Amino acid sequence: MTFRSRREKLRTILSGSACIRPGSVYDAISIRIAEDLGFPLGMFGGSVASLAVLGDPDIALITLTELAEQMRRMSRAARLPVLVDADHGYGNALNVRRTVQELETAGAAGLTIEDTLLPAAFGEAKTQLISLEEGVGKMKAALDGRSDPSLVIMGRTGAASMTSLEDTIRRAQAYEATGVDALFFTGIKSRAELEAIATATRLPIVLGSAPDELNALDYLAGQRVRIALQGHAPIAAATQAVHDTLKALRDGAPPKNLKGLASSELTGRVIREADMKARSAEFLGLEK
């Protein structure tokens, strides 16, 4: 099945003994650069998706169609496995099922479904969680929506920063029992919290951005963390570079005086004819 090799690479990461850092990707150029630099995995976050597609902050404005289409563009551009932040699945359990179907056909190697209440409830300043029962229902729907068994489904919770460690563990254990492939946590604040979670669960762990004491990869690997995010600095850097370049041009600087790679050099680095032929073969179903 097309894209299976990418999904098997992600599964190899999850079943391994090391903790890796994914490259934050958000469009065709960024994923080609990440692949060229040797990242083993790309991470397509919901916040960068909203910025890249809409130019809007991460306030649940982007739609499933827009997210899947951007993933499809990246899948065409590179063979790097990508883990997609699918937020809350864009609705209830039935919507989650369709979210999985759309991202699977778009080429995602894996995706996360979280238990955050999105969009935010009217009048609520703080982020809230859905009930445990609804969260479990979403995980089951995600698994039911999967056609390719190699597609990785991760249960995600931010309970550590919203409720308590006890609630985090309770939710993680319930999601684990549904049959998801890994557990994704945000808001973990200390080694003690991570160790408690690792002791209470069995699945591979993925961590969102974490404090400095949770940055040592050897330590994280020992706690069954297989993927540790490091934010989404590339899109911020790219935005700053575009701003500075446009400002210089607007202020009258000659293009030849601007620093950076010449367009021909950049094209040669991120677009190679052999790679494009290989990607074309994959889309014709020749890569297994």
Side-chain angles (χ1 to χ4, degrees), residues 98-116:
R98 181 169 178 227
T99 293
V100 171
Q101 293 169 343
E102 293 295 332
L103 290 175
E104 179 177 315
T105 58
L111 58 92
T112 68
I113 297 295
E114 65 186 76
D115 53 13
T116 309

Side-chain angles (χ1 to χ4, degrees), residues 237-261:
T239 301
Q240 186 66 56
V242 171
H243 172 274
D244 293 347
T245 302
L246 286 174
K247 185 178 185 302
L249 291 170
R250 183 69 179 83
D251 292 343
K256 64 181 180 180
N257 292 347
L258 298 179
K259 295 180 180 180
L261 293 172

Side-chain angles (χ1 to χ4, degrees), residues 1-285:
M1 181 179 292
T2 304
F3 305 127
R4 179 165 290 179
S5 64
R6 307 181 191 196
R7 292 161 186 164
E8 290 173 346
K9 288 177 182 178
L10 174 53
R11 287 187 174 273
T12 297
I13 292 171
L14 294 175
S15 63
S17 59
C19 178
I20 64 101
R21 301 279 194 187
S24 176
V25 298
Y26 53 88
D27 65 4
I29 291 295
S30 64
I31 193 173
R32 284 183 180 175
I33 293 172
E35 183 179 55
D36 188 57
L37 291 173
F39 277 94
L41 178 70
M43 178 69 205
F44 186 29
S47 59
V48 296
S50 186
L51 288 170
V53 176
L54 302 178
D56 281 325
D58 189 18
I59 52 175
L61 293 179
I62 193 170
T63 66
L64 168 60
T65 302
E66 292 165 332
L67 181 77
E69 185 57 34
Q70 192 74 345
M71 182 64 247
R72 190 171 288 108
R73 293 185 183 104
M74 289 193 289
S75 294
R76 175 192 172 277
R79 288 170 288 176
L80 183 69
V82 176
L83 175 61
V84 182
D85 173 7
D87 286 335
H88 63 314
Y90 297 90
N92 62 20
L94 291 175
N95 297 110
V96 168
R97 192 174 187 278
R98 181 169 178 227
T99 293
V100 171
Q101 293 169 343
E102 293 295 332
L103 290 175
E104 179 177 315
T105 58
L111 58 92
T112 68
I113 297 295
E114 65 186 76
D115 53 13
T116 309
L117 179 61
L118 294 171
F122 176 76
E124 290 290 341
K126 294 183 179 180
T127 305
Q128 296 177 298
L129 298 173
I130 59 176
S131 69
L132 174 60
E133 292 74 19
E134 185 177 0
V136 167
K138 285 192 171 190
M139 302 309 159
K140 291 179 178 179
L143 294 167
D144 185 65
R146 178 172 61 185
S147 296
D148 180 2
S150 65
L151 177 69
V152 174
I153 305 291
M154 298 185 183
R156 172 173 168 168
T157 183
S161 62
M162 294 182 233
T163 53
S164 66
L165 176 61
E166 292 72 22
D167 186 37
T168 301
I169 291 174
R170 183 165 54 251
R171 287 171 179 267
Q173 290 174 333
Y175 301 159
E176 185 173 73
T178 67
V180 296
D181 302 299
L183 297 170
F184 189 120
F185 298 94
T186 60
I188 303 299
K189 298 179 284 296
S190 67
R191 289 192 172 195
E193 287 187 348
L194 176 59
E195 289 165 11
I197 290 168
T199 299
T201 59
R202 295 174 290 104
L203 290 175
I205 293 172
V206 179
L207 280 188
S209 297
D212 289 344
E213 68 174 288
L214 293 176
N215 278 338
L217 292 182
D218 288 345
Y219 167 76
L220 294 176
Q223 298 304 315
R224 223 172 51 255
V225 178
R226 297 296 171 252
I227 301 170
L229 277 60
Q230 50 188 347
H232 299 291
I235 194 169
T239 301
Q240 186 66 56
V242 171
H243 172 274
D244 293 347
T245 302
L246 286 174
K247 185 178 185 302
L249 291 170
R250 183 69 179 83
D251 292 343
K256 64 181 180 180
N257 292 347
L258 298 179
K259 295 180 180 180
L261 293 172
S263 60
S264 59
E265 183 181 352
L266 177 62
T267 300
R269 287 184 61 182
V270 302
I271 302 175
R272 293 184 289 269
E273 183 178 359
D275 288 347
M276 291 306 296
K277 288 181 178 178
R279 290 168 191 145
S280 297
E282 180 180 12
F283 268 81
L284 290 172

